[in-house]
């Protein structure tokens, strides 16, 4: 992908093929029947044009999710794709930016949309290429040591996975959450895990 900017659609496929912890998404078509035992997330990506702030449905029941997905599928047509995956509860979310020299972790409480739509950031930390903390802003204790180390460990994988892009002076931006699974009746699994669900180059 040297010389190409990775958009949202490319990022979905790249993440799916990587060994990074990522969402288990599937392509949506009108013949898909979503399981009523779960809440669902519906998202989209386009081949061309602006792919920021595309329509999405987060944490809705199967019936409502399929209604939304059918309309989105008809609207996008051949210019993109609609994907679906089981909804998860986000405890903490943020972005991971990786370039040749630095790794930047930004984090916010709960859902990433708090950062995207409200510009909320609980902590921002910059590390050098060896994972040494250079600077920080906000609540340095918002992420615990294990969460920081896990993000840095995956940043090393990102550098390897996107070596060509990073060494052509691009920055790889990934979105992540510390999450738990959730059923349709609102039961949240106590197990927490790191998941990446978007990647792009900037």
């Amino acid at each position: 992908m040297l010389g190409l900017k990775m958009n949202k659609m490319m990022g979905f496929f790249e993440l799916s093929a990587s060994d990074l912890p990522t969402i288990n998404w599937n392509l949506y078509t009108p013949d898909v029947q979503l399981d009523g035992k779960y809440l669902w997330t519906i998202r989209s990506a386009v081949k061309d044009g602006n792919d920021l702030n595309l329509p999405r449905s987060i944490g809705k029941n199967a019936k409502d999710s399929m209604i939304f997905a059918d309309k989105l599928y008809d609207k996008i047509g051949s210019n993109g794709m609609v994907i679906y995956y089981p909804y998860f509860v986000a405890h903490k979310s943020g972005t991971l930016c990786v370039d040749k020299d630095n790794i930047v972790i930004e984090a916010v409480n709960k859902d990433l949309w708090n950062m995207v739509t409200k510009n909320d950031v609980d902590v921002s930390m910059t590390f050098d290429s060896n994972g040494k903390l250079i600077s920080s802003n906000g609540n340095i204790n918002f992420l615990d040591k294990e969460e920081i180390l896990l993000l840095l460990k995956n940043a090393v994988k990102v550098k390897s996975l996107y070596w060509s892009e990073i060494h052509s002076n691009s920055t790889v931006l990934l979105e992540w959450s510390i999450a738990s699974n959730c059923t349709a009746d609102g039961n949240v699994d106590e197990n927490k895990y790191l998941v990446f669900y978007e990647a792009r180059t900037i």
Side-chain angles (χ1 to χ4, degrees), residues 24 31 37 40 47 72 93 101 122 129 146 163 182 195:
N24 183 25
D31 60 344
K37 292 187 296 184
W40 294 91
K47 296 176 184 176
L72 189 56
S93 301
D101 301 315
D122 283 276
S129 58
E146 289 74 17
W163 187 92
C182 179
V195 61

Side-chain angles (χ1 to χ4, degrees), residues 132-196:
K132 181 181 178 181
L133 183 64
I134 300 173
S135 64
S136 65
N137 291 290
N139 179 8
I140 191 64
N141 296 315
F142 179 72
L143 295 174
D144 64 38
K145 183 178 180 180
E146 289 74 17
E147 291 166 341
I148 294 171
L149 289 175
L150 183 57
L151 286 163
L152 290 175
K153 177 182 176 181
N154 280 281
V156 173
K157 294 182 180 180
V158 170
K159 284 194 172 187
S160 176
L161 181 63
Y162 300 109
W163 187 92
S164 295
E165 290 83 352
I166 289 172
H167 284 269
S168 61
N169 295 318
S170 289
T171 298
V172 180
L173 171 66
L174 300 99
E175 297 177 355
W176 58 267
S177 288
I178 304 295
S180 293
N181 294 331
C182 179
T183 60
D185 57 6
N187 288 328
V188 178
D189 194 319
E190 292 183 359
N191 294 322
K192 297 180 181 180
Y193 55 88
L194 172 66
V195 61
F196 292 98

